[in-house]
Amino acid sequence: MQLGMIGLGRMGGNIVRRLTRAGHECVVFDQNPATVKSLVGDRIHGGSNLPDLVKRLAKPRTVWVMLPAGEITEQTVNELGSLLEKGDTIIDGGNAFFHDDVRRARAMKDKGIHYIDCGTSGGVWGLERGYCLMIGGEKEVVDRLDPIFGALAPGTGSIERTPGREKRDPRVERGYLYCGPSGAGRFVKMVHNGIEYGIMQAYAEGFEIMQKAASKEVPAERRYQLDLADIAEVWRRGSVISSWLLDLTAMSLAQDPTLANFSGVVEDSGEGRWTVNAAVEEAVPADVLSAALYARFRSRDPHATANKLLSAMRHAFGGHIEPK
């Protein structure tokens, strides 16, 4: 299939590479012409601006927007709404607020344009590992675009099948899910990221407790000089708390045991706040997720080990560069 891609940053460029490796064709655009030029090649064509990108796509067109949440995405979707025609499709794969997806889908529907929200998890590792996709919108449109989503998803890999899933949608086991109508995909991704905040915070706090076991505040007979890199590594091997985030923690500590290259200032990109807001709206207690969000606010203390470890994990899985 053919796909237009707008935004060639940490994830957009690799999404294009993964799609073209699977035989799909992409027309790409980014505000930085050098980025476009560096990507153009076999089955990848560059557009000089949005009208040019749209002109290069065969009808019915499908354009994937992979930009940061906020005004730039709003402007881009609105411009596409004026350039595309009835039957065309916009996919937004960034971390936008699901309320915006519902509003945009309604506005595009009035023009006859389909709007799909696609929560995309995989970070800078997605090119090789694939992307876990959580998709919302019109089901018939999502089904039509299945070759795109299937090519981006990780596949079944070596993960054992969950007992009892034999009669369920097999695409879920390949790493992508149709979640429901407009906004549903992004809602699921929002909660996914809220949970991610909590897991990361739990690891970070636990490792700081172990690091502080060597401090003078602890009685000498209970003062331990613990090797955090080795502890992270051994926990990867059969521990009940093993995970990909722990893998990334072990990698970060092995490369930089004192985390000297990380400031400890941890940004929150919106999804944690939105998840906590949804919990309040639904009257669901979310103690851990709320505390993890507030911990990121507290990261104005840039020298805490927990904050540095959060920075290390964010850099490892998503290529995020925290301010010094």
Side-chain angles (χ1 to χ4, degrees):
M1 296 185 75
Q2 187 189 51
L3 180 78
M5 174 62 73
I6 300 172
L8 305 175
R10 288 190 298 264
M11 293 177 69
N14 280 345
I15 286 174
V16 168
R17 292 182 181 96
R18 187 169 174 90
L19 284 173
T20 53
R21 282 183 182 181
H24 298 285
E25 178 186 348
C26 291
V27 181
V28 303
F29 171 72
D30 190 273
Q31 290 291 343
N32 186 346
T35 302
V36 175
K37 185 177 180 180
S38 69
L39 200 61
V40 168
D42 187 29
R43 291 191 292 274
I44 304 175
H45 312 283
S48 57
N49 50 40
L50 293 192
D52 184 46
L53 177 141
V54 169
K55 192 181 302 182
R56 290 170 179 265
L57 294 171
K59 301 178 183 180
R61 310 173 185 92
T62 301
V63 182
W64 186 304
V65 179
M66 202 66 183
L67 297 169
E71 189 62 29
I72 182 63
T73 295
E74 189 75 15
Q75 292 173 356
T76 301
V77 171
N78 287 339
E79 185 173 353
L80 284 173
S82 68
L83 294 169
L84 296 175
E85 301 174 358
K86 184 177 181 179
D88 293 342
T89 302
I90 298 171
I91 303 172
D92 186 2
N95 284 326
F97 188 30
F98 75 99
H99 286 192
D100 293 333
D101 290 313
V102 175
R103 173 177 52 79
R104 290 171 186 156
R106 188 186 306 120
M108 292 302 120
K109 186 175 182 179
D110 291 342
K111 300 171 182 280
I113 299 170
H114 308 293
Y115 180 92
I116 302 298
D117 52 279
C118 183
T120 309
S121 180
V124 297
W125 300 82
L127 176 59
E128 301 303 332
R129 292 174 59 103
Y131 299 90
C132 177
L133 305 175
M134 294 142 272
I135 309 163
E138 301 164 83
K139 188 175 187 304
E140 60 272 22
V141 178
V142 175
D143 288 344
R144 176 170 60 81
L145 296 173
D146 188 79
I148 295 292
F149 300 127
L152 291 175
T156 54
S158 59
I159 299 173
E160 294 183 7
R161 295 196 70 182
T162 301
R165 285 207 56 91
E166 291 76 15
K167 295 182 179 180
R168 291 180 173 268
D169 186 346
R171 293 175 295 185
V172 177
E173 294 176 293
R174 293 169 54 198
Y176 64 114
L177 169 67
Y178 173 71
C179 298
S182 296
R186 196 94 64 181
F187 183 85
V188 173
K189 177 58 162 53
M190 175 190 76
V191 177
H192 164 284
N193 283 26
I195 292 170
E196 180 184 289
Y197 278 35
I199 295 173
M200 291 171 68
Q201 188 65 31
Y203 282 135
E205 291 176 6
F207 277 90
E208 181 157 22
I209 291 169
M210 292 186 290
Q211 187 258 341
K212 291 292 180 65
S215 67
K216 293 180 180 179
E217 287 76 19
V218 177
E221 67 272 16
R222 291 189 278 109
R223 197 175 297 161
Y224 307 121
Q225 296 284 345
L226 300 173
D227 189 317
L228 301 189
D230 283 354
I231 291 168
E233 186 64 30
V234 78
W235 282 356
R236 294 180 61 213
R237 315 282 173 173
S239 165
V240 71
I241 63 168
S242 60
S243 71
W244 185 34
L245 285 172
L246 183 59
D247 295 345
L248 298 174
T249 299
M251 181 180 69
S252 298
L253 286 169
Q255 294 172 352
D256 184 6
T258 64
L259 303 175
N261 292 321
F262 297 95
S263 69
V265 176
V266 185
E267 300 290 344
D268 75 286
S269 51
E271 302 91 339
R273 299 187 190 209
W274 301 332
T275 302
V276 172
N277 288 340
V280 172
E281 186 178 68
E282 299 165 5
V284 174
D287 307 55
V288 172
L289 306 192
S290 299
L293 174 64
Y294 299 148
R296 295 199 175 195
F297 297 160
R298 283 199 306 272
S299 71
R300 304 306 182 262
D301 173 10
H303 303 297
T305 295
N307 294 335
K308 290 185 176 183
L309 196 55
L310 287 174
S311 292
M313 283 187 279
R314 290 187 86 233
H315 181 267
F317 75 74
H320 302 284
I321 306 297
E322 309 287 6
K324 293 291 186 183

PDB file of all heavy atoms in Angstrom, residues 99-113:
ATOM      1  N   HIS A  99      -9.723  13.469  23.621  1.00  0.00           N
ATOM      2  CA  HIS A  99     -10.819  14.401  23.362  1.00  0.00           C
ATOM      3  C   HIS A  99     -10.626  15.096  22.022  1.00  0.00           C
ATOM      4  O   HIS A  99     -11.591  15.346  21.290  1.00  0.00           O
ATOM      5  CB  HIS A  99     -10.881  15.463  24.464  1.00  0.00           C
ATOM      6  CG  HIS A  99     -11.418  14.948  25.762  1.00  0.00           C
ATOM      7  ND1 HIS A  99     -11.778  15.778  26.805  1.00  0.00           N
ATOM      8  CD2 HIS A  99     -11.662  13.691  26.205  1.00  0.00           C
ATOM      9  CE1 HIS A  99     -12.204  15.059  27.823  1.00  0.00           C
ATOM     10  NE2 HIS A  99     -12.133  13.793  27.482  1.00  0.00           N
ATOM     11  N   ASP A 100      -9.368  15.410  21.698  1.00  0.00           N
ATOM     12  CA  ASP A 100      -9.075  16.054  20.416  1.00  0.00           C
ATOM     13  C   ASP A 100      -9.382  15.123  19.253  1.00  0.00           C
ATOM     14  O   ASP A 100      -9.827  15.566  18.185  1.00  0.00           O
ATOM     15  CB  ASP A 100      -7.610  16.494  20.361  1.00  0.00           C
ATOM     16  CG  ASP A 100      -7.292  17.613  21.347  1.00  0.00           C
ATOM     17  OD1 ASP A 100      -8.217  18.377  21.684  1.00  0.00           O
ATOM     18  OD2 ASP A 100      -6.133  17.706  21.789  1.00  0.00           O
ATOM     19  N   ASP A 101      -9.132  13.828  19.448  1.00  0.00           N
ATOM     20  CA  ASP A 101      -9.430  12.865  18.380  1.00  0.00           C
ATOM     21  C   ASP A 101     -10.924  12.823  18.079  1.00  0.00           C
ATOM     22  O   ASP A 101     -11.330  12.783  16.915  1.00  0.00           O
ATOM     23  CB  ASP A 101      -8.957  11.464  18.793  1.00  0.00           C
ATOM     24  CG  ASP A 101      -7.451  11.357  18.833  1.00  0.00           C
ATOM     25  OD1 ASP A 101      -6.802  11.808  17.883  1.00  0.00           O
ATOM     26  OD2 ASP A 101      -6.920  10.819  19.815  1.00  0.00           O
ATOM     27  N   VAL A 102     -11.733  12.820  19.134  1.00  0.00           N
ATOM     28  CA  VAL A 102     -13.185  12.789  18.937  1.00  0.00           C
ATOM     29  C   VAL A 102     -13.634  14.030  18.167  1.00  0.00           C
ATOM     30  O   VAL A 102     -14.423  13.944  17.215  1.00  0.00           O
ATOM     31  CB  VAL A 102     -13.904  12.703  20.303  1.00  0.00           C
ATOM     32  CG1 VAL A 102     -15.420  12.799  20.121  1.00  0.00           C
ATOM     33  CG2 VAL A 102     -13.549  11.401  21.016  1.00  0.00           C
ATOM     34  N   ARG A 103     -13.099  15.185  18.548  1.00  0.00           N
ATOM     35  CA  ARG A 103     -13.468  16.450  17.887  1.00  0.00           C
ATOM     36  C   ARG A 103     -12.987  16.469  16.433  1.00  0.00           C
ATOM     37  O   ARG A 103     -13.739  16.853  15.520  1.00  0.00           O
ATOM     38  CB  ARG A 103     -12.862  17.611  18.667  1.00  0.00           C
ATOM     39  CG  ARG A 103     -13.023  18.967  18.005  1.00  0.00           C
ATOM     40  CD  ARG A 103     -12.470  20.083  18.882  1.00  0.00           C
ATOM     41  NE  ARG A 103     -11.105  19.833  19.316  1.00  0.00           N
ATOM     42  CZ  ARG A 103     -10.035  20.031  18.555  1.00  0.00           C
ATOM     43  NH1 ARG A 103     -10.166  20.456  17.304  1.00  0.00           N
ATOM     44  NH2 ARG A 103      -8.817  19.793  19.026  1.00  0.00           N
ATOM     45  N   ARG A 104     -11.739  16.048  16.206  1.00  0.00           N
ATOM     46  CA  ARG A 104     -11.204  16.066  14.842  1.00  0.00           C
ATOM     47  C   ARG A 104     -11.933  15.076  13.945  1.00  0.00           C
ATOM     48  O   ARG A 104     -12.189  15.356  12.767  1.00  0.00           O
ATOM     49  CB  ARG A 104      -9.710  15.757  14.867  1.00  0.00           C
ATOM     50  CG  ARG A 104      -8.864  16.859  15.477  1.00  0.00           C
ATOM     51  CD  ARG A 104      -7.436  16.405  15.679  1.00  0.00           C
ATOM     52  NE  ARG A 104      -6.659  17.402  16.396  1.00  0.00           N
ATOM     53  CZ  ARG A 104      -5.578  17.133  17.107  1.00  0.00           C
ATOM     54  NH1 ARG A 104      -5.130  15.883  17.194  1.00  0.00           N
ATOM     55  NH2 ARG A 104      -4.932  18.091  17.739  1.00  0.00           N
ATOM     56  N   ALA A 105     -12.246  13.904  14.483  1.00  0.00           N
ATOM     57  CA  ALA A 105     -12.960  12.903  13.683  1.00  0.00           C
ATOM     58  C   ALA A 105     -14.317  13.443  13.248  1.00  0.00           C
ATOM     59  O   ALA A 105     -14.750  13.232  12.096  1.00  0.00           O
ATOM     60  CB  ALA A 105     -13.133  11.614  14.488  1.00  0.00           C
ATOM     61  N   ARG A 106     -14.991  14.158  14.147  1.00  0.00           N
ATOM     62  CA  ARG A 106     -16.289  14.736  13.814  1.00  0.00           C
ATOM     63  C   ARG A 106     -16.145  15.781  12.719  1.00  0.00           C
ATOM     64  O   ARG A 106     -16.931  15.817  11.762  1.00  0.00           O
ATOM     65  CB  ARG A 106     -16.904  15.359  15.069  1.00  0.00           C
ATOM     66  CG  ARG A 106     -18.348  15.831  14.881  1.00  0.00           C
ATOM     67  CD  ARG A 106     -18.857  16.571  16.116  1.00  0.00           C
ATOM     68  NE  ARG A 106     -18.687  15.761  17.311  1.00  0.00           N
ATOM     69  CZ  ARG A 106     -17.958  16.138  18.360  1.00  0.00           C
ATOM     70  NH1 ARG A 106     -17.311  17.293  18.345  1.00  0.00           N
ATOM     71  NH2 ARG A 106     -17.868  15.357  19.414  1.00  0.00           N
ATOM     72  N   ALA A 107     -15.105  16.630  12.839  1.00  0.00           N
ATOM     73  CA  ALA A 107     -14.892  17.672  11.838  1.00  0.00           C
ATOM     74  C   ALA A 107     -14.541  17.080  10.475  1.00  0.00           C
ATOM     75  O   ALA A 107     -15.016  17.555   9.433  1.00  0.00           O
ATOM     76  CB  ALA A 107     -13.793  18.620  12.303  1.00  0.00           C
ATOM     77  N   MET A 108     -13.702  16.042  10.460  1.00  0.00           N
ATOM     78  CA  MET A 108     -13.316  15.416   9.194  1.00  0.00           C
ATOM     79  C   MET A 108     -14.487  14.655   8.571  1.00  0.00           C
ATOM     80  O   MET A 108     -14.633  14.613   7.339  1.00  0.00           O
ATOM     81  CB  MET A 108     -12.134  14.467   9.410  1.00  0.00           C
ATOM     82  CG  MET A 108     -10.832  15.152   9.765  1.00  0.00           C
ATOM     83  SD  MET A 108     -10.283  16.346   8.530  1.00  0.00           S
ATOM     84  CE  MET A 108     -10.261  17.837   9.534  1.00  0.00           C
ATOM     85  N   LYS A 109     -15.344  14.076   9.405  1.00  0.00           N
ATOM     86  CA  LYS A 109     -16.496  13.331   8.891  1.00  0.00           C
ATOM     87  C   LYS A 109     -17.409  14.252   8.092  1.00  0.00           C
ATOM     88  O   LYS A 109     -17.987  13.850   7.072  1.00  0.00           O
ATOM     89  CB  LYS A 109     -17.263  12.689  10.039  1.00  0.00           C
ATOM     90  CG  LYS A 109     -18.386  11.770   9.591  1.00  0.00           C
ATOM     91  CD  LYS A 109     -19.039  11.064  10.766  1.00  0.00           C
ATOM     92  CE  LYS A 109     -20.132  10.114  10.293  1.00  0.00           C
ATOM     93  NZ  LYS A 109     -20.767   9.402  11.450  1.00  0.00           N
ATOM     94  N   ASP A 110     -17.526  15.509   8.534  1.00  0.00           N
ATOM     95  CA  ASP A 110     -18.349  16.471   7.806  1.00  0.00           C
ATOM     96  C   ASP A 110     -17.809  16.718   6.403  1.00  0.00           C
ATOM     97  O   ASP A 110     -18.562  17.132   5.513  1.00  0.00           O
ATOM     98  CB  ASP A 110     -18.403  17.799   8.569  1.00  0.00           C
ATOM     99  CG  ASP A 110     -19.191  17.694   9.877  1.00  0.00           C
ATOM    100  OD1 ASP A 110     -19.958  16.732  10.018  1.00  0.00           O
ATOM    101  OD2 ASP A 110     -19.015  18.569  10.750  1.00  0.00           O
ATOM    102  N   LYS A 111     -16.517  16.483   6.195  1.00  0.00           N
ATOM    103  CA  LYS A 111     -15.883  16.657   4.883  1.00  0.00           C
ATOM    104  C   LYS A 111     -15.823  15.347   4.103  1.00  0.00           C
ATOM    105  O   LYS A 111     -15.308  15.309   2.977  1.00  0.00           O
ATOM    106  CB  LYS A 111     -14.450  17.184   5.052  1.00  0.00           C
ATOM    107  CG  LYS A 111     -14.337  18.537   5.760  1.00  0.00           C
ATOM    108  CD  LYS A 111     -12.869  18.840   6.054  1.00  0.00           C
ATOM    109  CE  LYS A 111     -12.676  20.145   6.787  1.00  0.00           C
ATOM    110  NZ  LYS A 111     -12.733  21.310   5.896  1.00  0.00           N
ATOM    111  N   GLY A 112     -16.264  14.239   4.729  1.00  0.00           N
ATOM    112  CA  GLY A 112     -16.177  12.938   4.083  1.00  0.00           C
ATOM    113  C   GLY A 112     -14.811  12.295   4.206  1.00  0.00           C
ATOM    114  O   GLY A 112     -14.503  11.318   3.510  1.00  0.00           O
ATOM    115  N   ILE A 113     -13.979  12.849   5.087  1.00  0.00           N
ATOM    116  CA  ILE A 113     -12.623  12.325   5.300  1.00  0.00           C
ATOM    117  C   ILE A 113     -12.609  11.468   6.555  1.00  0.00           C
ATOM    118  O   ILE A 113     -13.163  11.857   7.597  1.00  0.00           O
ATOM    119  CB  ILE A 113     -11.609  13.489   5.440  1.00  0.00           C
ATOM    120  CG1 ILE A 113     -11.588  14.331   4.156  1.00  0.00           C
ATOM    121  CG2 ILE A 113     -10.213  12.962   5.764  1.00  0.00           C
ATOM    122  CD1 ILE A 113     -10.810  15.633   4.291  1.00  0.00           C
TER     123      ILE A 113
END
